Amino acid sequence: MKTIEDLDVAGKRVFVRADLNVPLSGAAITDDGRIRAVAPTIAKLVQAGAKVIVASHLGRPKGEPDPQFSLAPVAVRLGEILGRPVAFATDTVGESAKATVAALADGEVTLLENLRFNAGETAKDDAERGAFADALAELADLYVGDGFGAVHRKHASVYDLPARLPHAVGDLIATEVAVLKRLTEDVARPYVVVLGGSKVSDKVGVIDNLLGKADRIVIGGGMVFTFLKALGHEVGNSLLQEDQIPVVLEYLERAKANGVEFVLPVDAAVSGSFPDLKTKAPVEDFAVVAADAIPAGTLGLDIGPRSAELFAEKLADAATVFWNGPMGVFEHPAFAEGTKAVAQALLDSDAFTVVGGGDSAAAVRILGFDETKFGHISTGGGASLEYLEGKSLPGLTALEG
Ligand code: ADP
Ligand code: MG
């Protein structure tokens, strides 16, 4: 892959596909990690005298403008981080984008509006995606792919656009890929993988692949309950994916056969209802129960304190750790303890520690941990999982040629 240094960017219009898909509460950015992660790439291009056109998606708008998914607040924050103004185009390939790009002087930066406001960005149809990529290509002379969180998507700006412009890989993607190589080639052992988050179905592929690679797989978060149910336990109203039960059972079997240790929680923090994440009102009926006896009418919302201790023990001797997915509904303080305990266990270990996943990375920062103390905090959840699944990622393939 070519890097930015291989391109002659001075005076050129350089399209940077970034991943600025940050969590928002209204128009307030609750975690700016992804903006800070790509800022050095943009600053480097500014320094080299490029006219920098930054583009990203945000959330899942339905292929048309939707103000709640506007990147406008991100332009402001990006400007603050770069310490220079960032012009904002209120569309992607329309009049505003054309005018804003035309007005750029060397070393200036613009951010386009949400790419997914155009249906062509995510279209399954090659021609429709291609047409949008053609329009984007009109705006620029060169392409830098640095939106790691989106490289597993066969989207116009990720996959089709680099085929239309001389291109290079940005520094963020280069770093992310180097880290993922350390998790797949000549891995230092014991290799412990901690998985959580909401859906088993998001993580089945990676478990499948890791059953042949990891020494220990620790499970927390909402996906736990599908495992517990598969083992015949009551899970109350907890998150459950019945259809994944056969898959989960097969994994537990295969883990045994392969000598991979599977670690499940022994207790859970529960409540009769999902907590209010807006007001963060105290949870009146908070209780800790055994993982194999979750009372009917309650929901498991975090691993319990004994599980937190157990997980910390299982991480203590690791040489390599990959962690994806919060252990509980960390967005509410009553259910953040499990996630805190795992983050702390990673900090306490001497292992090479990698945190992947948008919510996991945000959790680490929101819960007040010093992110520089981790080996690496990935900006891409789905992307890092798919890489670890052994899949080829469209956005990386596109940067190769
Ligand atoms: P990541 O973005 O790091 O890959 P996911 O998107 O898979 O993580 O999952 C994050 C979400 O999982 C969080 O919003 C969290 O509230 C939710 N979650 C964790 N544990 C539970 C649980 N027990 N029940 C419901 N949701 C949960
Ligand atoms: Mg997520």
Side-chain angles (χ1 to χ4, degrees):
M1 277 187 218
K2 284 204 176 83
T3 63
I4 291 173
E5 284 69 25
D6 298 320
L7 296 178
D8 184 11
V9 301
K12 302 274 174 51
R13 299 169 301 164
V14 181
F15 187 102
V16 180
R17 177 39 159 117
D19 172 14
L20 303 174
N21 184 23
V22 291
L24 289 175
S25 170
I29 296 164
T30 53
D31 179 55
D32 65 3
R34 281 181 163 162
I35 309 176
R36 284 183 289 114
V38 76
T41 297
I42 298 167
K44 183 187 264 186
L45 290 165
V46 164
Q47 212 58 49
K51 299 175 169 75
V52 189
I53 305 155
V54 186
S56 174
H57 68 286
L58 177 76
R60 297 189 172 200
K62 306 232 166 339
E64 54 185 58
D66 181 344
Q68 61 169 317
F69 296 113
S70 174
L71 277 165
V74 174
V76 175
R77 185 75 192 109
L78 178 61
E80 287 165 5
I81 291 168
L82 292 171
R84 59 177 59 247
V86 171
F88 183 64
T90 56
D91 57 27
T92 52
V93 292
E95 290 314 312
S96 175
K98 284 178 193 151
T100 314
V101 170
L104 283 179
D106 295 354
E108 286 186 349
V109 182
T110 183
L111 175 64
L112 305 183
E113 184 52 287
N114 194 337
L115 290 162
R116 293 189 188 168
F117 284 2
N118 190 307
E121 171 67 359
T122 58
K124 293 266 183 292
D125 179 59
D126 290 348
E128 191 184 349
R129 261 195 348 267
F132 184 48
D134 285 339
L136 288 170
E138 295 274 313
L139 294 173
D141 307 303
L142 301 169
Y143 177 95
V144 170
D146 217 18
F148 179 70
V151 286
H152 58 314
R153 305 286 186 203
K154 194 175 172 186
H155 290 170
S157 65
V158 177
Y159 179 75
D160 305 272
L161 183 54
R164 288 161 166 78
L165 294 170
H167 51 260
V169 62
D171 295 1
L172 176 62
I173 289 191
T175 304
E176 295 271 12
V177 170
V179 166
L180 287 167
K181 284 220 166 95
R182 280 183 73 176
L183 297 180
T184 46
E185 294 165 22
D186 296 322
V187 189
R189 296 185 181 280
Y191 177 17
V192 185
V193 176
V194 186
L195 294 174
S198 42
K199 288 192 179 157
V200 190
S201 52
D202 287 351
K203 324 265 163 146
V204 285
V206 78
I207 299 176
D208 190 34
N209 203 268
L210 289 169
L211 279 171
K213 300 212 165 72
D215 298 299
R216 202 176 283 149
I217 300 179
V218 180
I219 307 278
M223 57 194 283
V224 150
F225 306 101
T226 303
F227 282 84
L228 293 175
K229 184 82 178 179
L231 292 170
H233 303 310
E234 197 42 63
V235 298
N237 296 336
S238 307
L239 213 63
L240 175 65
Q241 286 186 284
E242 281 302 336
D243 60 324
Q244 297 294 325
I245 287 178
V247 181
V248 158
L249 282 173
E250 195 266 323
Y251 286 170
L252 291 169
E253 281 300 310
R254 191 138 46 95
K256 240 185 236 157
N258 290 2
V260 177
E261 187 186 2
F262 237 100
V263 184
L264 290 171
V266 289
D267 56 357
V270 303
S271 161
S273 55
F274 201 84
D276 191 328
L277 303 183
K278 278 223 175 74
T279 64
K280 308 211 194 296
V283 178
E284 305 293 348
D285 62 349
F286 177 95
V288 172
V289 300
D292 59 0
I294 294 174
T298 69
L299 293 125
L301 295 162
D302 193 12
I303 59 169
R306 277 177 49 228
S307 310
E309 250 172 64
L310 172 70
F311 287 12
E313 269 167 41
K314 297 292 178 187
L315 284 162
D317 66 344
T320 305
V321 180
F322 174 69
W323 173 29
N324 170 274
M327 295 294 100
V329 182
F330 73 93
E331 295 92 337
H332 192 290
F335 302 108
E337 293 303 318
T339 303
K340 271 190 201 164
V342 165
Q344 189 59 50
L346 259 64
L347 288 186
D348 292 343
S349 100
D350 300 324
F352 175 56
T353 55
V354 180
V355 183
D359 292 294
S360 313
V364 162
R365 290 186 285 259
I366 290 166
L367 298 176
F369 291 93
D370 178 354
E371 57 184 316
T372 63
K373 297 284 193 313
F374 294 86
H376 179 72
I377 298 194
S378 175
T379 53
S384 44
L385 287 176
E386 289 198 18
Y387 186 100
L388 295 178
E389 279 173 41
K391 286 189 184 160
S392 90
L393 308 180
L396 295 183
T397 312
L399 294 175
E400 267 156 19

